[in-house]
Amino acid sequence: MAKTKTKWICQSCGYETIKYIGKCPDCGDWGTLVEETETTINNSTTIIDNSEPACPINKVELSNAIRFSTGLSEFDRTLGGGFVQGSLVLIAGDPGIGKSTILLQTSNSIAKSRKVLYVSAEESASQVKLRADRLNVNEDNLFIYSQSNFELIKKQLEDIKPDVLIVDSIQAVYTQHITSSPGSVSQIRECTNELMTIAKTQNITIIVVGHVTKDGTIAGPKVLEHMVDTVIHFEGDRYKSYRILRSIKNRFGNTSEVGIFEMKDNGLEEVLNPSQLFLHEREKNTTSGNIVIATKEGTRPVLIELQALVGQTSYPSPRRVVNGIDYNRLLQILAVLEKRIGLNLSKLDVYVNVIGGIDIDEPAADLGIALAVATCARDVIVSPDTVIIGEVGLSGEIRGVSNLDARIKECEKLGFKKVIVPASEKLNPKDFNIEVIPVKRLMDAISACVFKDEQ
Ligand code: TYD
Ligand code: MG
């Protein structure tokens, strides 16, 4: 017999209550509770137990997870070596970032050895076909189904019996058992739950697309992220062509790797040498304030160009504008420059920009930022064949960074001549075919890279 219940559900955390309240007691957000009606069909209470009984951990037998490639090595790297059979993967990202594109490309390569069902709940089959033609996607084993009704999707699943199911997107599908609209917390939870059961019981790999809200979180409750095995974020600047796949959660691998792609006219192309992508427009004769730093994406070192512009202010209080680095980090570096090397910046505007629209959120970029600002303020040029690596402490000391060896090797690979590194790291300069200059203090770094010739 069908039973109808009404409840109020917080759209940001999934908290449930039977009456409306303005503030969610769980996550503290205001006005996020939405009324949802749920119809549950109580058909049977018998539990069918086909699971294994509890067993001591040292007796548990390892079953080897079967992995298969996505056809894109950068995607495989993010997943820790490809998709795991029978797992549920969520790919989340802003609208227009390329989620449908990458999944269609991947489906095509998987379809060479497996049967793939691509459910497009947002676009018609002919819309998908248009895109598929652009991407050269035409495998026989790739089935396109334009449907948002979950019950019909399940029926197709039984008919086609694919090895891989793609649901684009989870916010657009709905099950008839619940009356609330597609994209609501109960719909997402119910559908994801069923998909999880299908993945585990039928050993089908399921990939779902999830939308991201304005503040960058996955639309729908956190439960969506909790339920799935792997969460991958697809990031990038819509106005720039490169895209980054980042794994946020992975039950079958680590989350330290990222995959880098470039959006071209015929789909996403892997970027195997990211430093080259970010440096290709660099002018070698550079003006003051241009610096190359070695940061990392995942565990991979990436060289990036950073620019500072420092000039007389025409405002009562000078401006500090950042693009790609943390604002407070810049203020801290400016304070260190003023106090430790006596650079007076109180009447100067400071602008810092990371080229390529990339965001740097690691302290290893500090020394690069400090040198870009200091050299621009003094109007001197840092030699364009030098890379700067290091964290700046409050007393002006240069602190160590992770993976220094790999970063130096990357500089070497791209033909740089000198690299300024923190002296605290134990390195053997003979290991490298590049001049490694260890520095202890900010002042040493400045004299090592520029001011020596000026004085
Ligand atoms: P899409 O995969 O539809 O994004 P999402 O599913 O994440 O919303 O792709 C969006 C953008 O990518 C679209 O604005 C056009 C661009 N694009 C290309 O530049 N080249 C291509 O070959 C394709 C298919 C799309
Ligand atoms: Mg899409």
Side-chain angles (χ1 to χ4, degrees):
M1 210 191 75
K3 227 167 65 182
T4 307
K5 276 195 297 187
T6 300
K7 40 187 181 174
W8 292 82
I9 300 184
C10 172
Q11 299 294 302
S12 57
C13 72
Y15 178 81
E16 292 177 12
T17 157
I18 47 166
K19 63 176 196 309
Y20 178 75
I21 28 178
K23 182 182 174 184
C24 171
D26 203 18
C27 66
D29 281 358
W30 286 89
T32 50
L33 275 90
V34 170
E35 187 179 19
E36 293 185 8
T37 336
E38 196 173 275
T39 311
T40 43
I41 297 165
N42 196 2
N43 42 14
S44 156
T45 47
T46 346
I47 300 172
I48 305 155
D49 184 5
N50 52 7
S51 63
E52 303 251 319
C55 161
I57 187 145
N58 47 17
K59 304 260 162 40
V60 177
E61 279 182 25
L62 267 186
S63 64
N64 259 346
I66 301 171
R67 284 188 187 270
F68 55 92
S69 169
T70 60
L72 294 161
S73 62
E74 290 288 296
F75 199 173
D76 288 348
R77 165 203 285 275
T78 318
L79 290 163
F83 286 122
V84 172
Q85 203 156 334
S87 68
L88 181 58
V89 180
L90 170 71
I91 298 207
D94 287 326
I97 206 80
K99 302 181 292 295
S100 308
T101 308
I102 197 167
L103 287 180
L104 205 54
Q105 282 179 259
T106 306
S107 310
N108 197 51
S109 353
I110 299 175
K112 290 187 170 66
S113 56
R114 289 174 157 75
K115 213 178 206 181
V116 183
L117 174 61
Y118 185 107
V119 176
S120 180
E122 294 176 350
E123 292 167 272
S124 66
S126 57
Q127 272 175 306
V128 178
K129 171 76 179 144
L130 260 180
R131 187 199 306 257
D133 283 347
R134 254 174 97 170
L135 301 172
N136 260 336
V137 167
N138 55 4
E139 280 296 325
D140 290 341
N141 262 337
L142 171 57
F143 293 79
I144 306 289
Y145 184 44
S146 174
Q147 183 57 260
S148 53
N149 182 318
F150 196 66
E151 278 64 44
L152 294 177
I153 296 174
K154 274 201 295 193
K155 199 171 161 298
Q156 266 315 299
L157 207 57
E158 279 158 25
D159 293 348
I160 294 185
K161 295 195 174 47
D163 302 296
V164 177
L165 168 71
I166 293 171
V167 181
D168 186 358
S169 68
I170 189 73
Q171 274 94 0
V173 295
Y174 67 94
T175 159
Q176 290 166 351
H177 298 314
I178 299 173
T179 48
S180 58
S181 56
S184 64
V185 176
S186 358
Q187 284 287 4
I188 292 179
R189 187 161 38 193
E190 191 60 29
C191 296
T192 315
N193 228 338
E194 286 218 33
L195 286 174
M196 193 65 177
T197 316
I198 294 170
K200 300 297 162 202
T201 53
Q202 302 178 25
N203 205 20
I204 298 179
T205 306
I206 304 183
I207 303 138
V208 295
V209 169
H211 289 300
V212 162
T213 55
K214 242 188 280 159
D215 60 356
T217 50
I218 298 167
K222 266 272 180 223
V223 286
L224 181 54
E225 281 173 79
H226 288 309
M227 275 194 246
V228 301
D229 294 314
T230 306
V231 180
I232 307 274
H233 267 225
F234 206 14
E235 310 168 352
D237 194 330
R238 282 192 66 181
Y239 305 102
K240 299 277 177 181
S241 60
Y242 81 88
R243 304 278 186 269
I244 293 181
L245 268 186
R246 201 183 292 279
S247 118
I248 305 290
K249 163 185 173 179
N250 195 352
R251 287 189 182 143
F252 303 104
N254 67 23
T255 52
S256 56
E257 290 295 356
V258 300
I260 304 179
F261 297 89
E262 199 178 352
M263 181 63 99
K264 294 263 178 76
D265 283 344
N266 50 357
L268 286 151
E269 203 168 273
E270 303 171 72
V271 175
L272 298 173
N273 192 346
S275 302
Q276 227 146 31
L277 173 72
F278 295 123
L279 291 181
H280 77 281
E281 275 180 85
R282 199 167 72 97
E283 291 170 5
K284 281 282 167 54
N285 58 348
T286 55
T287 35
S288 66
N290 283 23
I291 294 269
V292 177
I293 58 163
T295 176
K296 54 179 191 157
E297 278 299 342
T299 56
R300 233 182 330 179
V302 178
L303 302 192
I304 288 176
E305 192 183 359
L306 193 130
Q307 292 181 314
L309 183 64
V310 181
Q312 287 294 328
T313 185
S314 47
Y315 301 94
S317 57
R319 310 197 74 183
R320 271 80 178 98
V321 179
V322 293
N323 220 331
I325 62 163
D326 181 45
Y327 179 72
N328 289 324
R329 197 90 205 164
L330 174 70
L331 296 189
Q332 183 182 317
I333 293 168
L334 296 188
V336 175
L337 283 173
E338 295 219 27
K339 177 81 181 170
R340 305 296 170 200
I341 66 163
L343 194 67
N344 187 359
L345 295 160
S346 60
K347 301 247 171 350
L348 301 173
D349 287 336
V350 177
Y351 300 82
V352 175
N353 180 37
V354 180
I355 305 291
I358 208 159
D359 280 328
I360 301 175
D361 56 1
E362 60 154 2
D366 285 2
L367 186 57
I369 301 168
L371 288 183
V373 172
T375 52
C376 191
R378 301 262 172 103
D379 213 9
V380 285
I381 296 168
V382 173
S383 133
D385 54 15
T386 308
V387 181
I388 319 286
I389 307 169
E391 176 180 347
V392 176
L394 289 186
S395 53
E397 81 279 19
I398 308 301
R399 294 178 169 264
V401 301
S402 59
N403 288 29
L404 186 59
D405 284 35
R407 293 183 208 239
I408 299 176
K409 287 267 185 244
E410 182 75 7
C411 306
E412 196 183 299
K413 202 167 92 190
L414 279 133
F416 285 87
K417 301 271 174 335
K418 275 196 279 185
V419 55
I420 295 186
V421 301
S424 58
E425 302 281 329
K426 295 278 162 288
L427 285 175
N428 184 2
K430 293 209 182 70
D431 291 346
F432 308 100
N433 277 330
I434 181 170
E435 187 185 350
V436 179
I437 309 168
V439 289
K440 279 206 172 94
R441 310 204 54 83
L442 194 49
M443 203 58 219
D444 304 339
I446 291 178
S447 28
C449 72
V450 276
F451 292 162
K452 193 165 44 189
D453 309 330
E454 315 293 321
Q455 281 156 3

